[in-house]
Amino acid sequence: MALSNPTRLISAPWVLPMAGPALADAAVVVDGADTIVAVGPRAEIKSAFPALPEERAQGALLPGLVNAHTHVELSVLAGRLRGGEGLVSWATQVGRETAAFSAEQRFDAARRAALAAVAAGTAAVGDVGNTLLAIPALAEAGLVGVFFHELLGSREAVTGDALAGAEREYREFVESSPWPARLARVPAPHALYSAGPDLLRRIFAAAAGTGHPTSIHIAEGEDEIQLLRDGSGRWAEILALLQVPAGSRTPGLGPLAYLESLGAFAGERPPLLVHMVCASAEDIALAHKHRAPVVLCPRSNLHIGGRLPDLRAFLSAGLALALGSDSLGSSPDLSLWGEMAALASHFPDIAPEIWLRAATVGGAAALGLAALGALVPGKRPGIMDVTPIDTQAPCASLVAAATPSVRWVARP
Ligand SMILES: [Zn+2]
């Protein structure tokens, strides 16, 4: 790979490349576009690049974090939604509460949330939007990644063709926006219960041509499992109120088996499986078979339903993991440090490197962002200096920190 001229050498007590072991007393060299040129022991790097002055970082150098699941458009709901009663109760509050705010208030909240996410070390997002409200906020904050344009069955009912309607809406929006679209747009379903099988199939087929994966909330609560299996549970009651034909969301299958039957795994990139709180052994086996990454949103899961997925089962099955914050409607902030701290405190026996990898290289791989997630020559992941660290146990101290101090050395 041809690399351009090295321009900066940054050394630190620790460098965590995330694509290999942590390096004590190490350094990173970048070129003028902040593309990584070299990573290695400080003495070796200094002798290989003698003309470069040494910049000194105080803590650990890491690639920027990749928040693989958030909803920046819902930021105005911060602290407003009651949790602890399960997803159906939580979700029914979303529409009612959002309607109390003007578009301007919702955009201001989205903008503040996006800037706070960057300040906490976020380089890229997988952002889900039912509207396009968050796109300028994300662009203004300098966030890259994937925008999952969420298509509900109700959009299909209004427009006759949810995919074509959403595509038109997006094109008009981008043409009239002063912001360059820095995120790839991919059509996405919300969940298996919020669209019928025909629309779900068409969304998966359309997403397969984008070069990025799509994303779906799946196995998030027991009501979803019951609806899919036999048409019972609280989602069935909600769908009846919405006059959705009974049976149209009940394939008699588990969530991953249904997803497979819809052609979700036919494309080059498997969809992101968000939550998987109620995943069965069959679901885990199918996720593994199709190499589909699971996006964990632990603080949101704890707020809404008071339980976490079976992470030990995911790890022993070898599932690929990424982390997300979900929205401010179910999480106190959009920082992955808080998610890592929650996981570390619930699973103290699991190596902290696993959560750091999920928050960086795991998220980048899940979203198909080849240049991000690791300090590796040729990538341009953004570099941050994170403090404080325990120099004897840098990964454990970072993962437990919850709100460490982040200084950007280079933005992606
Ligand atoms: Zn979500």
Side-chain angles (χ1 to χ4, degrees):
M1 188 181 312
L3 296 169
S4 47
N5 284 340
T7 57
R8 294 171 70 194
L9 184 160
I10 310 106
S11 70
W14 281 91
V15 173
L16 276 54
M18 305 319 306
L23 305 169
D25 194 24
V28 179
V29 174
V30 297
D31 70 10
D34 292 329
T35 302
I36 308 282
V37 174
V39 179
R42 182 183 175 204
E44 265 176 40
I45 295 287
K46 283 179 72 170
S47 72
F49 298 91
L52 292 180
E54 179 180 11
E55 297 172 38
R56 190 72 184 147
Q58 299 306 307
L61 294 179
L62 274 85
L65 304 176
V66 180
N67 183 341
H69 184 77
T70 184
H71 304 250
V72 168
E73 72 177 359
L74 299 181
S75 299
V76 79
L77 298 178
R80 301 187 69 85
L81 305 188
R82 207 172 54 251
E85 297 165 5
L87 181 64
V88 177
S89 162
W90 183 87
T92 51
Q93 299 172 66
V94 171
R96 194 178 59 229
E97 289 289 325
T98 309
F101 295 95
S102 68
E104 205 168 22
Q105 287 171 312
R106 284 182 279 138
F107 178 70
D108 281 348
R111 177 192 239 167
R112 283 195 303 275
L115 290 169
V118 170
T122 312
V125 291
D127 187 63
V128 182
N130 218 279
T131 70
L132 305 177
L133 177 127
I135 291 178
L138 297 165
E140 187 187 18
L143 285 160
V144 296
V146 179
F147 175 71
F148 295 114
H149 200 171
E150 186 175 74
L151 311 180
L152 302 175
S154 52
R155 186 193 284 263
E156 182 99 327
V158 171
T159 64
D161 183 341
L163 275 160
E167 171 87 43
R168 199 165 46 240
E169 178 194 16
Y170 178 76
R171 218 177 305 120
E172 286 168 8
F173 180 85
V174 168
E175 278 164 14
S176 65
S177 168
W179 297 102
R182 296 193 72 196
L183 285 83
R185 172 190 175 269
V186 180
H190 166 255
L192 291 171
Y193 50 81
S194 34
D198 173 62
L199 177 56
L200 290 172
R201 268 192 209 96
R202 287 190 287 123
I203 293 171
F204 291 124
T210 64
H212 290 276
T214 187
S215 169
I216 186 165
H217 298 86
I218 195 159
E220 188 175 0
E222 292 296 346
D223 291 292
E224 173 189 342
I225 309 294
Q226 289 173 12
L227 174 75
L228 298 178
R229 191 179 55 215
D230 59 19
S232 65
R234 285 182 295 170
W235 277 128
E237 293 164 21
I238 302 274
L239 290 169
L241 287 174
L242 296 172
Q243 299 181 326
V244 170
S248 67
R249 313 278 157 97
T250 303
L253 296 169
L256 266 284
Y258 182 35
L259 197 64
E260 185 181 51
S261 78
L262 295 166
F265 302 114
E268 193 188 331
R269 295 180 177 279
L272 277 63
L273 308 176
V274 181
H275 298 311
M276 293 277 277
V277 173
C278 304
S280 66
E282 177 196 59
D283 296 323
I284 293 171
L286 285 171
H288 182 256
K289 173 184 165 193
H290 294 293
R291 299 173 212 266
V294 175
V295 184
L296 309 171
C297 304
R299 292 184 301 174
S300 175
N301 297 156
L302 290 168
H303 175 76
I304 292 173
R307 62 183 272 201
L308 291 173
D310 187 352
L311 279 163
R312 288 190 185 83
F314 292 1
L315 289 170
S316 59
L319 298 190
L321 299 180
L323 294 191
S325 63
D326 223 344
S327 77
L328 291 182
S330 57
S331 200
D333 54 52
L334 304 184
S335 166
L336 292 189
W337 296 110
E339 304 301 334
M340 287 188 266
L343 288 165
S345 80
H346 280 84
F347 300 95
D349 53 321
I350 294 179
E353 289 82 355
I354 288 183
W355 312 133
L356 277 170
R357 278 203 294 273
T360 53
V361 70
L367 290 168
L369 304 171
L372 296 172
L375 302 179
V376 168
K379 291 189 191 282
R380 192 166 166 268
I383 305 170
M384 51 181 179
D385 175 15
V386 189
T387 50
I389 53 162
D390 174 349
T391 52
Q392 300 305 308
C395 290
S397 65
L398 284 172
V399 162
T403 54
S405 170
V406 169
R407 180 180 69 87
W408 284 102
V409 173
R411 289 293 303 280

